[in-house]
Amino acid sequence: MQMCGKNGTYFYMIQDHHCPYTNNCVGGKNIKAFILFCFYGGIFALQFLIMSVVYYYQMSEGVAKKIEEYEVMIWMLLSFFSFFLAFSMNGLAISNIYLAGKNITQI
């Protein structure tokens, strides 16, 4: 039995890494849940990005309601954040799937 250096929890299986987003050690028993968390979080952010681009297109064509200037800035900020989140979380999920398939840890 080993102890994690980040939060002091004990784990029985091989530790892969400590995830600051879930505040938990990722290892043999919960690697599947971590990969699914990253994958679905990235898919959700990608879906939000696509929906916001479609809404912006409809707004520019006159189909959707016009919005104020400050709302456009908020929309652009959220779109940038969702773009960054989608590709970083999906990249993390894909790299963890690859490493789990090769039986390699991130440590």
Side-chain angles (χ1 to χ4, degrees), residues 54-100:
V54 167
Y55 178 74
Y56 181 73
Y57 176 74
Q58 288 177 349
M59 186 183 63
S60 66
E61 292 292 318
V63 177
K65 163 186 98 115
K66 294 286 185 186
I67 57 177
E68 299 294 326
E69 187 175 324
Y70 73 92
E71 292 174 327
V72 172
M73 294 301 293
I74 292 172
W75 172 82
M76 289 174 65
L77 182 67
L78 287 175
S79 296
F80 174 75
F81 179 71
S82 66
F83 175 79
F84 174 73
L85 189 65
F87 286 105
S88 63
M89 288 192 75
N90 282 327
L92 187 61
I94 290 169
S95 67
N96 273 293
I97 290 169
Y98 173 77
L99 292 174

